[in-house]
């Protein structure tokens, strides 16, 4: 691509992953990685068993890379569960080592299973990755006899990381969950401070991400504690009372745009509640807010008083905890649901087949061509073909760049550092760089991991400097296989699916709008759309929560698509304004609902139905075409009514996109 001065510069979608992300140095993770990978090497040398020590370090490497969670219980899952799958993988690989086409068939089947279970969730994805990685290593490197020794040693490495991780548990057992909830409160305070400004949408995205993380941490902890412990019940109650504050925020933003900034006491009160959550204070204090007759101000004041009451409660009664997400199902029920979803999901089968095809080709190539121990080809394919890690295309490019950088440092070490006890301090330094570089981006993580794996491989096969160039060739071959067999041959990889995901979100927004203003059922004693309807309100809250989670997933899909080469990347950039418009529609719906609940006249049902119809038509149009065509939407209604801002946002969205008209259309 030519710049304005005539110089040739790489396109932005290609260089985006080569810019290091700003991130602080994770000192605890750095020290943990250095100890976890160097101590086993030292023990192996002291016992005159360097190969066994290298295997323990290799298991520790998997634990270091997988230790990405915040809560200790979630970290136990992230480290321990994948290690079990890794032990199974290396066992299968060891059993077929040197068996040619049997190894090809076995690794292909393992790749299919690995790809399919990766669709279940984060822990399952890490487990599937380690299952395949260790199977590839076991089938490509000679392992010590008997067959069970390799899985035991690799698992021991994971236990080393787990033990180092849990050293701080007695001091901070509940701190991650409590700190996460307090951080969510502070993002809500930032949101209210930004009401009426251009920064409001950015702050709302931060709230969505923080709220998702807090719920995930607490519910992950509850998966092992089906009884309601008081600490978890209190944290969940404190998190749930943020929902009314978030529902009132769009109305507060609208109020700030027309009538000036919100009182500073609103954000200050939320920050005081955050401090109370984090430090466990229980000192009741009524929020000091100025009186107001506006429905939006009433909604904010009511939500703040409710939040203050719950936060300052010393011990909420278990049966009074407002757990809108519901108690998690038993482990057996969740396992059956996950298995059924995996087996019946078309995306799960598609990814499993793509990964199996690439691994089968890589292993077949190694079997046909006399390249000694080229397990690195299949290893490269495995890392590149992780769809939940980002674009396959960009990861293949970044993997090639990172491998080249890593091989340079590996060549220096293998050429200049004598084997033996010098490996221990060198490994400590290289391992310490993994958490630091991982925070910078995928190419930097690859550059840090590559020399570590090469040094550990050298301890197993004693090839020394001769490892360097073959590993470079193997990496480039693996990237080529992933690009061709895992990307170009599958149209869904390079044809954007963001339209389908966005269409689903628009359809859900239509259903949410219809549900938000549904009149009370006859005979319930309620009157009007603003009356209390516990069943409908609960369904509305669940629908809204699901919708915001889906919109967060859509944003992630857009961010992935923006790194793809044209036409996917350019199409994602063109559709991005519509994704923002859909988020604003959901906000406007929530703001209108809050105003009705606090005294504003309810909208005409025909007006609500017209808005929902326009949204459904927009969703149908998005599914029918890849081309955005503006459509003029009239949407008549009361310009002073509660739905006026919502109609305006729908008109704005329809002005961006609609169904593509035929050439002879109107």
């Amino acid at each position: 691509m030519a710049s304005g001065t005539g110089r040739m510069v790489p396109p932005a979608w290609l260089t985006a992953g080569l810019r290091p992300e700003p991130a602080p140095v994770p000192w605890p993770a750095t020290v943990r990685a250095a100890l976890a990978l160097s101590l086993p090497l030292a023990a192996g040398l002291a016992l005159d068993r360097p190969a066994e020590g290298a295997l323990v370090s290799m298991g520790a490497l998997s634990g270091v890379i997988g230790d990405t969670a915040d809560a200790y219980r979630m970290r136990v899952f992230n480290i321990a569960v994948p290690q079990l799958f890794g032990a199974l993988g290396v066992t299968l690989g060891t059993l077929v080592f040197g068996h040619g086409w049997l190894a090809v068939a076995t690794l292909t089947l393992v790749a299919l299973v690995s790809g399919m279970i990766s669709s279940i969730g984060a822990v399952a994805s890490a487990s599937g990755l380690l299952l395949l990685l260790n199977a590839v290593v076991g089938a490509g490197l000679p392992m010590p006899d008997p067959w069970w020794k390799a899985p035991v040693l690799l698992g021991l490495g994971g236990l080393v990381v787990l033990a180092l991780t849990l050293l701080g548990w007695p001091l901070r057992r509940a701190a991650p969950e409590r700190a996460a909830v307090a951080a969510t409160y502070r993002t809500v305070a930032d949101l209210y401070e930004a009401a009426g400004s251009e920064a409001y949408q950015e702050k709302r995205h931060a709230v969505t991400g923080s709220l998702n993380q807090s719920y995930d941490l607490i519910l992950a902890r509850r998966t092992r504690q089906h009884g309601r412990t008081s600490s978890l019940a209190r944290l969940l109650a404190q998190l749930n009372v943020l929902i009314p504050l978030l529902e009132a925020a769009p109305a507060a933003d609208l109020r700030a745009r027309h009538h000036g900034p919100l009182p500073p006491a609103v954000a200050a009160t939320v920050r005081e509640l955050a401090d109370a959550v984090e430090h466990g204070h229980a000192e009741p204090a009524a929020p000091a807010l100025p009186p107001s007759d506006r429905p939006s101000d009433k909604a904010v004041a009511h939500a703040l008083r409710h939040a203050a009451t719950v936060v300052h409660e010393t011990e909420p009664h278990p049966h009074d905890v407002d757990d809108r997400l519901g108690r998690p199902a038993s482990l057996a029920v969740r396992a059956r649901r996950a298995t059924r979803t995996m087996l019946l999901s078309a995306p799960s089968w598609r990814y499993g087949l793509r990964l199996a095809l690439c691994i089968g080709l890589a292993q077949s190539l190694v079997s046909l061509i006399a390249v000694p121990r080229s397990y690195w080809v299949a290893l490269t394919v495995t890392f590149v073909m992780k769809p939940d890690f980002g674009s396959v295309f960009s990861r293949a490019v970044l993997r090639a760049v990172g491998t080249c950088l890593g091989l340079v440092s590996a060549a220096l070490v293998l050429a200049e550092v004598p084997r033996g006890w010098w490996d221990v301090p060198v490994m400590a330094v290289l391992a310490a760089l993994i958490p630091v570089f991982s925070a910078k981006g995928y190419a930097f993580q690859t550059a840090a991991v590559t020399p570590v794996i090469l040094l550990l491989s050298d301890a197993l096969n004693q090839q020394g400097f001769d490892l360097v160039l073959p590993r470079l060739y193997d990496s480039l071959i693996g990237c080529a296989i992933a690009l061709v067999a895992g990307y170009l041959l599958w149209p869904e990889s390079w044809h954007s699916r963001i339209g389908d995901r966005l269409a689903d979100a628009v359809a859900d927004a239509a259903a949410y709008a219809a549900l938000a203003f549904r009149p009370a059922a006859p005979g319930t004693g309620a009157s009007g759309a603003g009356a209390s309807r516990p069943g409908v309100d609960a369904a509305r809250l669940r629908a809204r929560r699901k919708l915001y989670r889906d919109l967060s997933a859509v944003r992630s899909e857009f961010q992935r698509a923006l790194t793809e080469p044209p036409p996917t990347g350019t199409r994602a950039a063109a559709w991005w304004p519509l994704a923002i418009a859909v988020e604003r529609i959901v906000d406007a719906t929530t703001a209108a609902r809050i105003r009705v609940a606090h005294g504003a006249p309810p909208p005409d049902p025909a007006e609500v139905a017209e808005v929902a119809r326009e949204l459904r038509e927009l969703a149908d149009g998005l599914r029918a075409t890849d081309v955005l065509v503006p459509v003029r939407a009239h949407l008549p209604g009361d310009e002073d009514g509660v739905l006026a801002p919502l109609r305006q946002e729908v008109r704005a969205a329809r002005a961006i996109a609609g169904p593509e008209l035929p050439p002879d259309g109107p």
Side-chain angles (χ1 to χ4, degrees), residues 520 524-537 593:
T524 61
S527 60
S532 175
R533 301 153 295 158
V536 174
D537 286 345
R593 173 63 217 169

Side-chain angles (χ1 to χ4, degrees), residues 360-625:
L361 288 175
Q363 200 64 24
S364 299
L365 182 65
V366 173
S367 300
L368 291 172
I369 300 178
V371 180
R373 300 189 177 102
S374 289
Y375 66 95
W376 203 275
V377 178
L379 209 65
T380 300
V381 169
T382 303
F383 278 116
V384 172
M385 287 294 297
K386 286 295 291 178
D388 48 334
F389 288 170
S391 162
V392 169
F393 184 91
S394 61
R395 283 173 65 81
V397 175
L398 297 176
R399 177 79 183 180
V401 173
T403 299
C404 292
L405 295 176
L407 287 175
V408 171
S409 58
L412 293 175
V413 172
L414 291 173
E416 301 297 334
V417 179
R419 302 278 67 77
W421 282 100
W422 278 104
D423 288 341
V424 177
V426 170
M427 180 59 67
V429 173
L430 293 177
L433 295 177
I434 293 177
V436 178
F437 279 32
S438 295
K440 301 295 183 182
Y442 179 66
F444 301 94
Q445 182 191 53
T446 302
V449 171
T450 297
V452 171
I453 297 180
L454 281 177
L455 289 180
L456 296 177
S457 301
D458 182 52
L460 293 173
N461 55 31
Q462 301 296 321
Q463 283 186 299
F465 187 80
D466 294 337
L467 277 171
V468 177
L469 283 181
R471 293 299 81 87
L472 175 60
Y473 302 148
D474 293 342
S475 295
L476 296 180
I477 292 172
C479 291
I481 290 175
L483 282 176
V484 176
Y487 182 77
L488 294 178
L489 295 183
W490 300 80
E492 68 167 11
S493 300
W494 40 276
H495 284 309
S496 174
R497 297 183 64 247
I498 53 178
D500 294 337
R501 299 287 298 272
L502 192 56
D504 292 341
V506 174
D508 290 343
Y512 173 58
L515 183 63
F517 305 102
R518 180 181 298 172
T524 61
S527 60
S532 175
R533 301 153 295 158
V536 174
D537 286 345
R540 177 178 54 82
L541 287 170
R542 288 193 297 269
R544 178 186 176 276
R545 184 83 185 108
K546 177 182 181 298
L547 184 53
Y548 272 116
R549 276 187 178 269
D550 291 345
L551 287 173
S552 180
V554 169
R555 289 180 64 86
S556 298
E557 182 69 18
F558 266 95
Q559 290 166 355
R560 184 201 65 80
L562 287 170
T563 65
E564 296 277 12
T568 301
T570 53
R571 184 175 297 132
W575 285 45
W576 182 245
L578 182 58
I580 301 299
V582 174
E583 292 180 344
R584 293 181 62 86
I585 287 172
V586 178
D587 276 349
T589 304
T590 302
R593 173 63 217 169
I594 290 298
R595 292 180 63 193
V596 170
H598 288 82
D604 186 345
E607 197 176 352
V608 176
E610 183 66 16
V611 169
R613 185 192 65 79
E614 286 284 345
L615 291 175
R616 285 192 295 269
E617 186 175 306
L618 173 59
D620 294 339
L622 293 177
R623 293 190 179 98
T625 181

Side-chain angles (χ1 to χ4, degrees), residues 346-360:
S348 171
W349 278 99
R350 281 197 299 267
Y351 172 54
L353 291 173
R354 286 171 59 193
L355 184 57
L357 173 63
C358 293
I359 292 294

Side-chain angles (χ1 to χ4, degrees), residues 174-183 221 235 238 274 276-280:
E177 293 88 359
R178 203 163 50 233
V181 175
R221 185 174 172 185
L235 280 174
Q238 291 170 343
V277 169
E278 188 165 24
H279 302 295

